[in-house]
Amino acid sequence: TQLLEQSPQFLSIQEGENLTVYCNSSSVFSSLQWYRQEPGEGPVLLVTVVTGGEVKKLKRLTFQFGDARKDSSLHITAAQPGDTGLYLCAGAVDQTGANNLFFGTGTRLTVIP
Amino acid sequence: NAGVMQNPRHLVRRRGQEARLRCSPMKGHSHVYWYRQLPEEGLKFMVYLQKENIIDESGMPKERFSAEFPKEGPSILRIQQVVRGDSAAYFCASSPLGGWGNQPQHFGDGTRLSIL
């Protein structure tokens, strides 16, 4: 069962534009992580958000955790070609008997110079 | 990604053979996680191990797949009698402490398994 839906699945934009990637679920997560993955490599952790409503900034990237801890967004300002990659959200489910980290299907971002 | 070492990077097997994938966690990390990724998809959790213990194997198929993390040496993901559907990228991650979400997981660069 896929608990995390990411949108859009593919995104191609010009350098300098802004973009937002969404990660939605009907489940509540105890925390949520965002990763970026480049071809032939493993995912690299960008941020972990744990509190509902939390906003974290990492240079031009802004991450927000929804108040109800069911969704998250990643906003990139003035995208650069180096931002190109697969962006994955992953949630830890706070559920008795479960101990899994669930990954979304990913958003593949291409920034055109 | 350099901290978590996976080998081999690429592995080709014929149907019915065995595949062994190795993962050496980052120094000081005693928790290892294995994931599988199909093309254009996210990662699917398979198994979570601590030294000499399997903590959670709910994502691993009951047949043909096994995992271990011995006291000494790397973690091993073993697939017996491989089939075409086993072709995928297999990623290992490690963390210094246990649990999920609050513990950052550091990933290796994966083993790409191809079944002929």
Side-chain angles (χ1 to χ4, degrees):
Chain A
T1 302
Q2 182 65 49
L3 294 182
L4 281 162
E5 296 282 343
Q6 285 188 241
S7 61
Q9 192 174 355
F10 298 94
L11 184 58
S12 182
I13 62 171
Q14 294 289 331
E15 181 177 0
E17 292 183 349
N18 301 333
L19 67 113
T20 303
V21 175
Y22 299 94
C23 176
N24 295 299
S25 176
S26 58
S27 301
V28 175
F29 294 99
S30 58
S31 63
L32 197 137
Q33 303 180 2
W34 281 92
Y35 292 82
R36 188 173 90 189
Q37 184 180 21
E38 302 199 26
E41 299 183 6
V44 175
L45 180 66
L46 298 174
V47 77
T48 300
V49 285
V50 296
T51 306
E54 182 177 2
V55 176
K56 279 193 175 179
K57 291 194 175 184
L58 185 67
K59 295 184 181 178
R60 293 177 293 101
L61 278 60
T62 302
F63 304 86
Q64 184 163 8
F65 201 12
D67 290 339
R69 291 185 295 141
K70 292 183 178 181
D71 53 82
S72 181
S73 64
L74 158 60
H75 183 78
I76 301 179
T77 303
Q80 299 177 1
D83 295 328
T84 293
L86 179 67
Y87 288 83
L88 296 162
C89 64
V93 178
D94 189 10
Q95 180 179 331
T96 302
N99 197 26
N100 289 358
L101 189 62
F102 291 94
F103 275 83
T105 50
T107 293
R108 187 165 294 283
L109 172 66
T110 302
V111 182
I112 302 166
Chain B
N1 289 347
V4 177
M5 303 301 294
Q6 289 189 247
N7 68 82
R9 289 296 308 276
H10 300 274
L11 182 61
V12 180
R13 286 287 179 266
R14 295 188 181 280
R15 281 179 294 171
Q17 291 184 322
E18 178 181 287
R20 279 182 178 242
L21 288 61
R22 294 175 182 77
C23 170
S24 296
M26 283 183 71
K27 189 176 181 181
H29 288 193
S30 59
H31 297 259
V32 165
Y33 314 81
W34 284 94
Y35 296 85
R36 171 180 150 132
Q37 184 177 36
L38 293 173
E40 302 301 326
E41 291 190 9
L43 281 73
K44 296 284 195 299
F45 164 77
M46 297 182 73
V47 62
Y48 164 25
L49 308 103
Q50 197 179 354
K51 283 283 188 181
E52 300 184 277
N53 286 307
I54 295 176
I55 308 300
D56 183 352
E57 57 181 348
S58 58
M60 195 160 67
K62 295 284 189 291
E63 296 181 356
R64 304 189 298 108
F65 286 73
S66 62
E68 62 177 10
F69 189 16
K71 187 176 181 181
E72 301 291 337
S75 175
I76 307 286
L77 179 67
R78 182 182 177 206
I79 310 173
Q80 294 178 288
Q81 299 175 330
V82 296
V83 301
R84 287 249 171 88
D86 297 332
S87 295
Y90 291 83
F91 289 95
C92 168
S94 72
S95 65
L97 299 173
W100 299 86
N102 293 342
Q103 298 301 325
Q105 295 186 22
H106 299 265
F107 282 81
D109 284 337
T111 293
R112 274 134 193 94
L113 175 64
S114 298
I115 308 302
L116 301 179

